[in-house]
Amino acid sequence: MGKIGILTSGGDCPGLNAVIRGAVLKGETVYGQEFVGFLDGWRGLVEGDVMPLDRSSVRGLAREGGTILGTSRIGPYSEPHGGAENIAKVLDELGIDGVIAIGGEGTASASKRLFEDGINIVGVPKTIDNDLDATDYTFGFDTAVEIATEAIDRLRTTGNSHKRCMVLEVMGRHAGWIALYSGIAGGAHAILIPEQPESLNQICAWVTSVKNRGRSPMVVVAEGFTLPDMDQAHSTKGVDGFNRPRLGGIAEVLAPLIEERTGIETRSTVLGHIQRGGSPTGFDRVLATRLGMAVTDLVADKHWGHMVALRGTAIVRVDFGEALANHKTVPQDQYQEIRVIFG
Ligand code: F6P
């Protein structure tokens, strides 16, 4: 099988480079495939902006954060040059037979549309939020949880010294997986996630009971969490390239409210993009490498319109439609399991 173009799209994620390396190594070695990388996500595909990718260009990449190809939040149908017709022409001119798109939900739905419009395309799921239903875990999530857990550990020592309540905000637009896992790992006294409304009264009751035991309260909140009187997630920074509100800052809203109600000095920290940067964990390197290798099987089999996913410990194939059917949010019972020991 001939020449394949790889792109990374949407928010970056530790492990993207490991996917690229896995794909190039297996594709070259096992199938004799040739690779190029499209620069800056869909932009590179739409404009035919490519870099060569071979064994030597992916050397040592499994441990590198970010993406050597660059990424953007631009869609393949964006004006003025986007669209399947133009993309088919670009691929033809460059002699590229198929595309591997590594990305999250936005990338998968754009890939589905391109596939339906006749483009040979397969996918690899990616998001630190871990909210894609088709796959048990996405690479990048484990790394984000490690970073957030370390942040909780650090906030707890300074919080204890000053006898303050500390509120840490982590990412998680629709799903609170990072907050849930890091909060459990770091022993947080309350974990607030988009899927589960909690009242300010309840949050303050947990904080006060911790303080009454002589401890310093630690609250972890996902960026997408809303209080009952909010009709949407806190956003003051406009919209991104997919027209989604840029979230962030709910911890800064909560901290003064908690302080005012409880009389306990409260500080907030927004972890932000720190949880997306740097080296992937061992788990994420393994998962990303396996997914990258497996996607070359899809290409070899011309199994276009599908992506690779993790089910249990096996790598499986799912079609884009199935992959996009549901968001994987935190189930009520999984939240309740830990909620019983809050406070
Ligand atoms: O979708 C992944 C994610 O990390 C979200 O949790 C967050 O809302 C968003 O990306 C932030 O993206 P940006 O890099 O555009 O600020």
Side-chain angles (χ1 to χ4, degrees), residues 165-169 190-193 198-201 203-204 207 219-230 234 249-262 264-270:
C165 170
M166 305 302 276
V167 182
L168 173 68
E169 177 181 313
I191 301 169
L192 308 173
I193 61 174
E198 298 287 2
S199 68
L200 189 58
N201 274 345
I203 298 166
C204 291
V207 164
V219 177
V220 178
V221 59
E223 61 182 358
F225 170 75
T226 50
L227 286 165
D229 61 352
M230 295 167 63
H234 184 74
I250 183 67
E252 287 156 351
V253 173
L254 279 177
L257 292 173
I258 293 172
E259 180 165 318
E260 193 187 298
R261 287 261 185 129
T262 63
I264 301 164
E265 190 182 8
T266 303
R267 291 282 200 274
S268 61
T269 302
V270 179

Side-chain angles (χ1 to χ4, degrees), residues 3-18:
K3 202 169 26 154
I4 308 302
I6 304 182
L7 64 86
T8 51
S9 172
D12 76 334
C13 184
L16 285 170
N17 283 326

